[in-house]
Amino acid sequence: MSNDTDQDKPHLSISAHVVVQLGEELVTDKEQSILELVKNCYDADTTDCDIFIEPEWVVDPIENPDIYFSLFPDRLGKSKEKLLAEKVGKIVIKDDGDGMNNDAVQNSWLRISSSAKRPEKGKEKAATKSGRTPVGDKGLGRLATMKLGKIIRLTTSQKGESERRSLWFSWGDFTEDKDLTEVPVYIEPATKKNDKDEKGSEITIIGLKELKEWEQDSFVSKDLVRDLSKLVSPFLEKKGFFINIHYGGNCYEISHLSDQALNLASCAYHWIWVDGKIQHKGRISENLFFGTGDGTASAEFNRVFRNARNRDKFIERLLSNKKVKQFNLKVDKSPGLFTLDYEDEIGDSIPQSKGYGYAKDPGPFSAQIYDFNLSRRSREALSASGVTSDLIKSTGIQIFRDGFLVRFDEDWLGLSQEQTGGSSYYGLRPGNTIGYFAISNKSNPGLVEKSDREAFVDNDEFRGFLYLARKAKDKEIALREILRREYRGFLKDLSSEQSESSSPADAIKATKESFSKQGVILKEAIQSLEHLGSLDDKKAYESIGGVITSLQNVAKDQEKKNAQIEYIDRHVEGAEEVNLRLLEAAAVGLTARSISHELHQYSRQLKQGIDGIKAVNKSESPRVYR
């Protein structure tokens, strides 16, 4: 029998420094670190998550001696008179959620990689009191704080308690020469609460890394707010969860694309995978056909959609296309052009295909995709709604689990593979398309994130998810290609029709020639009437005097209109786009029609006057004037 004591037996131990290694590699940046703490606020059923950033915060050696010497261990033992308060900065993330009791603090928060929110194997996560599915179940969120600062402090209490408990530790104590159990945890004296109904938790990070960057106003007010906005779904607010960033006396709300901006999308798609079917709903706007340029593409667009007759003919052509009918397009009564509503039957099992071997149903999920036409006109409209084209280009199509981003390959949906060059601008381009796929822990437990939240584990459910997402995308691209071909065909037919008829310039030329001929007729008629009026017959002259005055007025008006036509003609030569716009100015045609009607009326009066003069002349012999 061995005489070795249990302490002398070979055994495994873990250096405290391994935690630092984990934390450094766990997340890639400050934004993700903050997001991990925000997730804990969400899980605590809070309504508001408030983030206070205070880079000017000072640690005092008298008020906070333990924290001070933890940050500056080399100053320990020096004269208190020589110790100066030091600007170190801090970040506080505060919620009014459930808070934690002593047992939760000791056995969950202080136990690395432990989480009470993690479900038993094969079971679903238990929902919170308000029905939220917990998102922070890795038990590693607090490790991410070492990206932000040197000390992490927890202050928490539950409803009904009279005091708040507080403790902290320093990442600087996680050294290679210590076992994990030897890292000191500092317990602070409990503080009394003013109201027993007060509850919630505060996480404070003290001793900010890269302090100078935090001191830059633009870093927080612009960069941090923008980047955090990308990490959080715009629909979290519908679940009663709001994130506010306090800095320099200002409060910044996490911002998202407004409905006003999203309504400017050329196409909007909503996909739902459930019960073996991909349900497709969406809206297609006229902007889909505008193209990306403002030259020929703009002229073609105006020819079709700024002409009521052509627009109706194009819509009729599309809806009668056999291939289009499978997408169940209907004319949209809103400012859009069409709505679509159809189902793509997949079946109970995912088809086995190349690249998706052994794929399985990942569970129900949904997606919303918005495609923007970033022409000059569209960019101006987006700018008016507070959105830049750069924001559209940098957002992409993301995956949110219960409202929080899972970072993944930017082009995971394969849009760049579909992109073609030249005049084919109807595919979903990666720089013009934004949106998100919504998954959840409850419905999609088989979609497992890696510990760093940067990707998914490549398993059967993930391959099934990829297959279905790309299948939905392919169906939409197929529809867009059909629409593209029909649009190009319609333009070709329209050009053929227009080549057989007169061009805008020809129409103007014909109008000018008509006006010129009418002018000659008017002048000859007036001269004839004036000659007849010289007859010594007062009755005949009086009968045509009013006609002469009216015809003179018409002639003057005709000369004005002719000058206007000359002006238009000079400005449309060689300008096809301007010619098209002149088609909208139907006033020229209306004016010509109006004058024509007036000439007919005056011609009848003229004929009556001439007939009267002829009757008088027949009853009198000609007179000779000397």
Side-chain angles (χ1 to χ4, degrees):
M1 190 175 204
S2 174
N3 294 324
D4 291 342
T5 65
D6 290 342
Q7 191 173 9
D8 294 331
K9 287 181 180 179
H11 62 281
L12 292 172
S13 64
I14 186 168
S15 166
H17 189 258
V18 73
V19 175
V20 177
Q21 292 175 310
L22 280 173
E24 289 289 344
E25 299 173 2
L26 190 63
V27 292
T28 55
D29 51 40
K30 301 178 182 68
E31 293 79 19
Q32 187 69 37
S33 298
I34 292 175
L35 185 67
E36 292 303 318
L37 298 175
V38 171
K39 288 180 181 179
N40 289 334
C41 297
Y42 176 81
D43 293 345
D45 272 346
T46 187
T47 300
D48 290 286
C49 172
D50 290 290
I51 303 170
F52 298 88
I53 299 173
E54 304 176 32
E56 301 296 324
W57 187 79
V58 171
V59 60
D60 192 291
I62 298 175
E63 294 181 4
N64 299 281
D66 291 334
I67 290 178
Y68 184 90
F69 291 117
S70 179
L71 292 172
F72 307 103
D74 56 314
R75 301 182 187 181
L76 186 62
K78 290 188 177 181
S79 172
K80 291 184 179 180
E81 290 75 15
K82 295 183 179 180
L83 296 176
L84 301 175
E86 193 84 29
K87 181 172 70 174
V88 297
K90 70 176 180 179
I91 296 174
V92 180
I93 299 178
K94 181 180 180 180
D95 66 63
D96 59 355
D98 295 332
M100 289 181 275
N101 57 28
N102 281 321
D103 182 68
V105 171
Q106 184 63 42
N107 297 316
S108 182
W109 197 80
L110 286 176
R111 187 171 177 80
I112 304 299
S113 191
S114 173
S115 175
K117 295 174 280 188
R118 188 180 299 137
E120 295 181 18
K121 189 173 182 180
K123 294 185 178 181
E124 292 185 356
K125 285 185 176 181
T128 65
K129 293 177 182 178
S130 65
R132 295 176 182 173
T133 302
V135 293
D137 65 345
K138 298 291 184 183
L140 299 173
R142 46 220 174 266
L143 300 189
T145 63
M146 66 179 67
K147 281 277 186 181
L148 303 172
K150 300 175 182 178
I151 289 175
I152 178 171
R153 172 201 275 159
L154 167 68
T155 302
T156 185
S157 67
Q158 294 186 314
K159 186 176 181 180
E161 294 180 332
S162 59
E163 295 180 331
R164 294 173 64 84
R165 62 190 62 84
S166 184
L167 54 88
W168 62 273
F169 58 83
S170 171
W171 295 117
D173 290 328
F174 288 75
T175 55
E176 293 183 3
D177 61 338
K178 290 190 185 79
D179 280 351
L180 193 56
T181 55
E182 296 175 329
V183 174
V185 175
Y186 299 87
I187 308 297
E188 295 185 338
T191 56
K192 289 188 176 183
K193 297 194 300 185
N194 295 324
D195 186 351
K196 287 187 177 182
D197 287 338
E198 181 186 347
K199 58 186 176 65
S201 300
E202 288 183 15
I203 297 291
T204 305
I205 298 99
I206 300 171
L208 300 184
K209 294 184 177 180
E210 300 175 357
L211 184 59
K212 289 184 178 180
E213 185 174 36
W214 289 105
E215 290 176 327
Q216 297 176 14
D217 180 71
S218 61
F219 171 70
V220 177
S221 62
K222 294 182 180 179
D223 299 343
L224 185 67
V225 172
R226 179 198 63 213
D227 293 340
L228 275 177
S229 297
K230 295 179 183 179
L231 300 179
V232 180
S233 166
F235 297 94
L236 265 182
E237 293 181 0
K238 294 183 179 180
K239 298 182 179 181
F241 184 70
F242 302 88
I243 304 172
N244 309 299
I245 300 175
H246 305 265
Y247 177 82
N250 298 314
C251 180
Y252 304 92
E253 294 183 2
I254 293 296
S255 58
H256 302 285
L257 291 173
S258 64
D259 290 341
Q260 179 186 0
L262 294 177
N263 287 336
L264 295 172
S266 59
C267 294
Y269 304 107
H270 185 201
W271 304 329
I272 299 176
W273 163 250
V274 65
D275 297 332
K277 301 174 184 177
I278 304 176
Q279 299 174 357
H280 294 251
K281 295 181 182 293
R283 170 182 56 79
I284 298 174
S285 166
E286 293 178 353
N287 286 338
L288 172 66
F289 303 94
F290 189 80
T292 56
D294 296 313
T296 303
S298 177
E300 291 174 341
F301 179 86
N302 290 335
R303 187 178 299 157
V304 175
F305 292 101
R306 295 297 174 262
N307 182 300
R309 177 175 171 273
N310 289 344
R311 186 179 188 273
D312 291 343
K313 286 177 64 177
F314 177 56
I315 290 175
E316 181 182 357
R317 173 173 177 151
L318 285 180
L319 296 181
S320 62
N321 183 294
K322 292 182 179 179
K323 292 182 178 179
V324 171
K325 288 182 178 180
Q326 64 177 303
F327 299 99
N328 193 25
L329 290 189
K330 293 182 180 179
V331 176
D332 190 4
K333 294 180 181 179
S334 67
L337 184 62
F338 296 113
T339 60
L340 58 91
D341 187 354
Y342 68 97
E343 292 182 344
D344 186 11
E345 186 82 37
I346 304 297
D348 295 333
S349 60
I350 306 296
Q352 301 302 300
S353 56
K354 186 177 180 181
Y356 305 99
Y358 306 105
K360 290 183 180 179
D361 184 352
F365 64 85
S366 64
Q368 292 194 25
I369 308 297
Y370 299 89
D371 170 57
F372 288 85
N373 179 320
L374 296 181
S375 63
R376 178 180 57 81
R377 184 179 64 175
S378 296
R379 292 196 303 270
E380 290 174 351
L382 282 168
S383 179
S385 67
V387 176
T388 64
S389 57
D390 288 339
L391 178 61
I392 299 292
K393 293 176 181 179
S394 64
T395 299
I397 298 178
Q398 302 168 318
I399 302 174
F400 291 106
R401 184 190 288 277
D402 293 302
F404 295 95
L405 179 72
V406 180
R407 285 180 168 174
F408 200 39
D409 176 21
E410 290 183 0
D411 193 32
W412 66 273
L413 201 56
L415 297 186
S416 61
Q417 299 173 14
E418 305 289 346
Q419 186 176 359
T420 56
S423 61
S424 179
Y425 44 77
Y426 293 92
L428 291 169
R429 292 191 171 191
N432 296 43
T433 307
I434 65 173
Y436 70 92
F437 280 71
I439 63 174
S440 71
N441 282 303
K442 182 178 181 180
S443 300
N444 314 106
L447 296 178
V448 182
E449 299 168 52
K450 293 183 178 179
S451 294
D452 59 5
R453 311 283 188 182
E454 296 288 328
F456 289 94
V457 175
D458 184 13
N459 58 18
D460 296 344
E461 286 81 2
F462 177 66
R463 287 191 288 274
F465 173 75
L466 276 184
Y467 172 85
L468 294 169
R470 291 173 178 173
K471 184 78 162 54
K473 176 242 340 183
D474 291 342
K475 291 289 290 187
E476 245 55 275
I477 289 179
L479 170 60
R480 293 163 73 94
E481 284 300 318
I482 294 171
L483 297 179
R484 177 185 70 84
R485 288 193 294 269
E486 286 299 305
Y487 182 62
R488 302 311 306 175
F490 183 76
L491 282 170
K492 184 177 180 181
D493 294 345
L494 201 60
S495 297
S496 298
E497 292 175 6
Q498 290 180 342
S499 65
E500 295 173 1
S501 61
S502 62
S503 66
D506 292 336
I508 293 174
K509 182 179 179 182
T511 303
K512 287 174 59 180
E513 291 175 352
S514 175
F515 276 11
S516 179
K517 291 178 181 179
Q518 291 171 0
V520 172
I521 294 172
L522 284 170
K523 289 179 181 179
E524 291 177 350
I526 292 172
Q527 289 174 357
S528 298
L529 288 173
E530 287 176 340
H531 175 67
L532 292 172
S534 64
L535 296 173
D536 201 7
D537 188 318
K538 293 183 179 179
K539 185 176 181 180
Y541 186 81
E542 288 173 359
S543 67
I544 63 174
V547 176
I548 293 174
T549 301
S550 298
L551 288 175
Q552 287 175 333
N553 292 335
V554 171
K556 291 178 181 178
D557 186 67
Q558 188 269 344
E559 289 177 358
K560 292 181 180 179
K561 298 300 181 185
N562 197 48
Q564 292 174 352
I565 293 296
E566 288 284 352
Y567 175 83
I568 293 173
D569 191 26
R570 288 197 305 271
H571 283 74
V572 300
E573 290 181 356
E576 181 183 3
E577 184 175 355
V578 177
N579 286 340
L580 288 170
R581 292 177 180 175
L582 285 174
L583 290 176
E584 300 175 6
V588 174
L590 293 174
T591 301
R593 183 187 298 178
S594 175
I595 291 177
S596 297
H597 289 170
E598 290 175 351
L599 287 175
H600 285 302
Q601 179 182 352
Y602 293 136
S603 294
R604 285 194 298 271
Q605 296 180 26
L606 178 61
K607 185 176 182 301
Q608 291 173 359
I610 292 174
D611 289 344
I613 292 174
K614 286 181 178 178
V616 172
N617 287 340
K618 286 181 180 179
S619 62
E620 295 186 9
S621 58
R623 298 179 183 180
V624 179
Y625 290 87
R626 300 181 185 275

